[in-house]
Amino acid sequence: MFCIFCKNADTEVIETRISDDGATVRRRRVCLKCEKRLTTYERVDRDKLRRGLVIPCEKTTISAEQVESVINEVEQDLKQRETTEIESKEIGNLVAKKLKKLDKIAYIRFASVFRRFVDLEDFEKELKKLS
Ligand SMILES: [Zn+2]
């Protein structure tokens, strides 16, 4: 977790709260360098992400390790944001972008399931390339 103010890598969690539905983890942190406080919200459900990736990645060049690393990267990306809320749309977009770099077939499959999450123009361009 990087400090959003001074980019220092050392921040300390001073308070962790889990929302009533258990979906969001809210952390108050303090930067050990500039001592500013920041709040992070984590809404990444790794199991849910993994389930969403299994079918699109089936019989493609993407290995189970790569699926894990996509999940890790998405999680990291989201953790580094200081936003009040992370929409599932954003998560879907991040996943789609990463899949696109790894394997076009997996990307197309993922995008057709999570269609509302991706840039449609971009998606249609990719489809045309394949046909
Ligand atoms: Zn700082």
Side-chain angles (χ1 to χ4, degrees), residues 3-8 11 31-36 38:
C3 170
I4 52 156
F5 304 103
C6 71
K7 308 282 177 237
N8 178 44
T11 59
C31 173
L32 298 177
K33 199 173 157 201
C34 70
E35 294 182 352
K36 280 187 178 145
L38 47 146

Side-chain angles (χ1 to χ4, degrees), residues 14-82:
I14 47 176
E15 184 189 42
T16 299
R17 276 193 192 165
I18 298 165
S19 65
D20 292 339
D21 61 359
T24 314
V25 181
R26 177 182 174 273
R27 293 188 215 277
R28 293 283 296 154
R29 294 170 190 265
V30 62
C31 173
L32 298 177
K33 199 173 157 201
C34 70
E35 294 182 352
K36 280 187 178 145
R37 296 198 171 187
L38 47 146
T39 305
T40 53
Y41 292 85
E42 291 159 33
R43 279 185 65 181
V44 188
D45 182 336
R46 294 182 64 94
D47 289 335
K48 214 170 153 188
L49 265 181
R50 195 175 292 115
R51 280 198 298 273
L53 281 166
V54 169
I55 292 170
C57 295
E58 218 175 11
K59 290 177 188 146
T60 65
T61 60
I62 300 177
S63 64
E65 287 77 26
Q66 280 174 309
V67 169
E68 288 306 306
S69 79
V70 166
I71 296 168
N72 286 337
E73 282 172 34
V74 168
E75 208 178 25
Q76 282 310 108
D77 280 4
L78 296 173
K79 275 183 186 165
Q80 284 174 22
R81 292 185 191 188
E82 204 260 352

Side-chain angles (χ1 to χ4, degrees), residues 52-123:
L53 281 166
V54 169
I55 292 170
C57 295
E58 218 175 11
K59 290 177 188 146
T60 65
T61 60
I62 300 177
S63 64
E65 287 77 26
Q66 280 174 309
V67 169
E68 288 306 306
S69 79
V70 166
I71 296 168
N72 286 337
E73 282 172 34
V74 168
E75 208 178 25
Q76 282 310 108
D77 280 4
L78 296 173
K79 275 183 186 165
Q80 284 174 22
R81 292 185 191 188
E82 204 260 352
T83 53
T84 48
E85 196 149 327
I86 299 158
E87 290 180 38
S88 49
K89 186 182 172 191
E90 270 186 78
I91 300 174
N93 260 325
L94 278 173
V95 173
K97 262 185 219 158
K98 295 193 190 296
L99 284 183
K100 202 172 163 187
K101 275 186 227 155
L102 290 173
D103 188 293
K104 292 273 191 270
I105 302 292
Y107 165 74
I108 296 294
R109 286 184 191 156
F110 180 85
S112 49
V113 175
F114 296 90
R115 233 183 148 127
R116 63 205 162 101
F117 296 148
V118 300
D119 181 340
L120 270 184
E121 220 176 292
D122 206 34
F123 175 60

